[in-house]
Amino acid sequence: MAAIRLRHSLWVKLIPIGLALALLPWLGWQALNTLSTVARDAQAQSLRALGGGLARQLSAESARFTRANAEGAAPVPSIGFALEIDGFLEEWPASARLYQSAAFDWLAVQHGNQVYMAIETRSPALNRWQISLGPPGDDSQIRVQTTKGRTQAELVGVFARRLAVARWDWPDGYRLEFAVPLALLPPSGLVQIDAGGQPAARFPVSWHDPVLLSAAALVASPSTQVSVLDAQGRRLARAGGPANGVRVRLPVVAANQTLGFVELESPLDPFFARSLSQIDTLIIQLSVVVLVIVLGLLGLMTGLSRRIRRLQRELTLQLGDKGTAAVSFSDTQRPDEIGQLARDMQRLLGDLTRYNRFLVRIPRTLRHELANPMSTIQSSIELLEDEQDPAQQTRLRDAALRGIARLNSTLNRITEAANLEESVRQDPKTLLDLGQLARRYLEVCRQQHPDFEWRLTVPPDPVMVIANDLRVEQLLDKAIDNARSFTPAGGIIQLLVQDHLLSADLEVRNQGPSIAAGADPFQMFIGTRSGTDGTHLGLGLYVVQLIASAMGARAYLRNVDGGVSLLIEGFQVGLER
């Protein structure tokens, strides 16, 4: 049974909806991946077309792909512009620092056929530098002699010449910047640096082939990096700005032999990148919205399911408690549909409770109310059989007729009470002046019942309420009848009308005995007050409460000083004042 309830619960039925909503972000991600793949494929096709021409051009330079570089050689970065020898290194790329130590850093970049080198030292006392650029036995060297006032640099070896050099001093040391033609450097690129006559560093570097570099530079751009690799994948030349994105590698083929490769790398086209970024942002926002919707729906359905189960439990308790005097649900103050359902169920169970009490009490009440008139009728008929005196016969017939009239009155009042609830709800409501109606009604009461002292308290201005005038008069009939029943001769009965701007009250006060504590005088067949021994049918206040509820008001009976107050509170005030 629990499994069946779970299978048919609202929360379980919401799961497919949540899953369907969750598919939206997933479909968005799939669409984004598809668009990203299409954009990257288009970019790759563009790079292949660009690199295909370069690969065909380099296929005629087979000899340049066989140059050997030292194992683990650091590639000298290439730049797309010539540097000015001035000692300032701000325009040098960060990748140019090919060697770093506590004493000095060595930097190198290549532009076409020119290699730029720099030394940045943190030891101002070092004034003599020697850079060997070839394998052991090669006497090609760059020698730098420097002081604060004078700096000289020269290339010694087979191709001896002076080099342009610049020095720039800074608080912790100085910088040296100079340039060497690539043609004057040994191809192996093995660098050994002596500082102050002492060996300081030894490491391999690889220069870019000038022809390959020049060819790559023609294709490269600030957003496209072009690299030329040998057959083993070692870089021979690289030109263009740094790139991280779409990469393609094309072989350089000559005589059916792969000489090397041309590698092109470029970030995604800005248009596609912006579009994909916007779609990505949209999908993230959609995912957040869907998550909020799903969580909101889960919370809503959980709350609805909990409220419905609570309403079911409360209904079960109410139906199981046969002696319940008042029906109360937790959601009656809520303005939504479940709150309206709870209020309707409360009214329904209230009606059922009243009808149940009606059925329980009516046999006893009818037995009590019908016993006396039937006994009078029976005794009058029996006496008439033996009575010969015309006067006594007339008296006995009158007693029997009074009993019959009382029986008819009792049955009519019960029938009226049983049918009143349905008819009073169908009565049309109009605007009426409650104060004026009270004035007219009290004038009639003074004429018909002069043995009581009648008092009236109403506002001077009209009190317009939305109600049915005939039903309000019927309510007053029952309220005044109830007051007269318990007011001694010459006692005071007061009718009051109070205007509260948004609502109006009608009150009937009378002198007489107080109501018993804990009694519910608005139920059927209850009509006893403390200090009285007369019991009547007890339908008057039940009718008062029924009409008041139909008018949107509520009736209260309470003890006041010297008597009892019947307050009908909450008549709806109309727009006309």
Side-chain angles (χ1 to χ4, degrees):
M1 182 63 69
I4 295 177
R5 287 199 301 267
L6 179 62
R7 185 168 66 250
H8 295 285
S9 68
L10 294 175
W11 193 86
V12 172
K13 292 181 178 179
L14 182 64
I15 292 178
I17 300 176
L19 293 177
L21 288 174
L23 284 177
L24 293 177
W26 181 81
L27 292 175
W29 283 117
Q30 294 299 316
L32 179 65
N33 291 333
T34 302
L35 291 175
S36 177
T37 301
V38 170
R40 291 180 178 276
D41 289 345
Q43 187 88 359
Q45 290 296 333
S46 176
L47 292 178
R48 287 190 183 95
L50 187 64
L54 179 60
R56 288 189 295 271
Q57 177 185 349
L58 296 181
S59 62
E61 304 288 344
S62 58
R64 298 186 178 276
F65 285 88
T66 58
R67 191 189 73 179
N69 288 321
E71 186 70 25
V76 175
S78 63
I79 57 176
F81 56 92
L83 294 173
E84 183 178 353
I85 307 301
D86 54 8
F88 294 97
L89 306 181
E90 282 72 16
E91 69 271 25
W92 287 54
S95 58
R97 294 182 182 271
L98 301 180
Y99 176 80
Q100 300 182 53
S101 68
F104 69 94
D105 296 349
W106 185 76
L107 300 82
V109 295
Q110 182 176 347
H111 172 62
N113 293 325
Q114 196 80 355
V115 177
Y116 297 90
M117 300 182 189
I119 298 175
E120 185 177 82
T121 180
R122 287 164 287 281
S123 299
L126 295 176
N127 57 8
R128 186 158 48 92
W129 301 87
Q130 180 175 300
I131 305 173
S132 301
L133 300 171
D138 191 329
D139 58 355
S140 298
Q141 296 178 352
I142 298 175
R143 296 176 181 176
V144 182
Q145 196 77 21
T146 180
T147 61
K148 277 194 175 184
R150 186 167 178 268
T151 299
Q152 291 182 342
E154 59 180 349
L155 177 66
V156 299
V158 178
F159 304 101
R161 62 180 296 177
R162 285 188 175 276
L163 304 176
V165 64
R167 170 173 169 158
W168 182 75
D169 293 281
W170 55 303
D172 295 332
Y174 61 87
R175 294 170 177 166
L176 298 175
E177 184 181 15
F178 48 92
V180 183
L182 180 62
L184 303 181
L185 297 178
S188 62
L190 184 62
V191 177
Q192 178 174 330
I193 303 176
D194 295 343
Q198 299 295 326
R202 181 183 177 90
F203 53 91
V205 297
S206 62
W207 319 112
H208 297 278
D209 185 280
V211 174
L212 300 180
L213 181 61
S214 177
L218 291 175
V219 178
S221 68
S223 61
T224 302
Q225 185 182 89
V226 179
S227 301
V228 180
L229 312 175
D230 63 9
Q232 287 74 37
R234 293 175 296 188
R235 185 179 290 109
L236 302 178
R238 182 175 62 185
N244 184 18
V246 181
R247 177 184 298 178
V248 297
R249 177 178 287 190
L250 303 173
V252 179
V253 180
N256 295 326
Q257 181 182 2
T258 300
L259 302 178
F261 301 93
V262 173
E263 186 177 85
L264 294 90
E265 186 174 5
S266 174
L268 198 60
D269 183 86
F271 172 77
F272 287 113
R274 285 194 303 270
S275 300
L276 293 176
S277 177
Q278 292 172 355
I279 295 175
D280 187 28
T281 303
L282 180 62
I283 292 175
I284 293 176
Q285 294 172 348
L286 177 62
S287 302
V288 173
V289 171
V290 169
L291 178 62
V292 171
I293 291 175
V294 170
L295 293 179
L297 288 176
L298 287 175
L300 176 63
M301 297 304 292
T302 301
L304 289 177
S305 178
R306 185 183 299 114
R307 290 175 61 190
I308 292 173
R309 288 196 300 270
R310 181 174 61 207
L311 189 63
Q312 181 184 15
R313 289 195 302 270
E314 293 172 347
L315 178 61
T316 302
L317 290 175
Q318 296 294 348
L319 294 177
D321 190 358
K322 302 300 183 182
T324 301
V327 180
S328 178
F329 291 97
S330 303
D331 288 326
T332 53
Q333 302 302 320
R334 298 289 186 90
D336 54 13
E337 289 80 358
I338 296 182
Q340 182 62 44
L341 176 62
R343 290 189 290 273
D344 292 342
M345 292 174 61
Q346 181 173 355
R347 284 194 295 270
L348 176 61
L349 290 181
D351 294 342
L352 291 175
T353 301
R354 289 195 298 271
Y355 295 151
N356 182 58
R357 288 173 179 169
F358 175 82
L359 295 175
V360 170
R361 289 175 179 171
I362 195 169
R364 182 174 65 252
T365 302
L366 289 178
R367 184 171 61 250
H368 170 74
E369 293 293 334
L370 299 181
N372 289 336
M374 290 182 67
S375 176
T376 301
I377 295 171
Q378 181 180 2
S379 62
S380 297
I381 293 175
E382 290 175 353
L383 292 174
L384 277 173
E385 293 178 355
D386 301 326
E387 185 62 51
Q388 301 299 323
D389 185 2
Q392 290 295 329
Q393 290 178 350
T394 301
R395 184 182 62 81
L396 292 174
R397 282 196 301 270
D398 291 341
L401 291 175
R402 285 195 300 272
I404 293 173
R406 187 174 177 183
L407 285 176
N408 288 331
S409 175
T410 300
L411 293 176
N412 288 336
R413 293 169 68 185
I414 292 176
T415 303
E416 177 190 4
N419 297 330
L420 179 63
E421 183 169 358
E422 181 178 356
S423 62
V424 76
R425 291 178 179 173
Q426 299 175 356
D427 290 336
K429 299 180 180 65
T430 59
L431 280 175
L432 64 93
D433 186 352
L434 192 60
Q436 184 63 28
L437 186 147
R439 291 188 187 95
R440 292 197 307 267
Y441 191 88
L442 201 68
E443 289 298 325
V444 176
C445 290
R446 284 172 178 156
Q447 295 174 6
Q448 294 180 351
H449 308 287
D451 50 338
F452 297 102
E453 181 180 345
W454 298 92
R455 295 180 182 179
L456 177 66
T457 302
V458 296
D461 298 327
V463 182
M464 307 302 296
V465 298
I466 301 175
N468 183 281
D469 54 349
L470 295 179
R471 293 302 181 186
V472 175
E473 290 183 2
Q474 186 179 8
L475 181 149
L476 283 172
D477 287 340
K478 301 300 181 182
I480 294 298
D481 286 346
N482 178 79
R484 288 192 302 104
S485 299
F486 298 99
T487 302
I492 300 173
I493 299 178
Q494 185 178 8
L495 184 59
L496 303 93
V497 176
Q498 300 176 355
D499 186 1
H500 300 297
L501 187 61
L502 297 179
S503 64
D505 299 342
L506 180 64
E507 185 177 5
V508 178
R509 294 183 183 179
N510 68 279
Q511 293 179 337
S514 61
I515 58 175
D520 187 0
F522 296 103
Q523 297 296 331
M524 283 184 176
F525 311 127
I526 294 179
T528 301
R529 295 203 201 186
S530 300
T532 65
D533 55 3
T535 301
H536 51 80
L537 199 55
L539 292 175
L541 293 183
Y542 169 76
V543 173
V544 168
Q545 184 69 281
L546 199 61
I547 296 175
S549 298
M551 302 299 165
R554 186 73 180 172
Y556 301 94
L557 191 67
R558 57 189 179 179
N559 293 320
V560 295
D561 292 340
V564 174
S565 167
L566 175 58
L567 174 65
I568 298 90
E569 182 182 58
F571 282 98
Q572 182 180 356
V573 172
L575 296 178
E576 298 182 12
R577 303 293 294 173

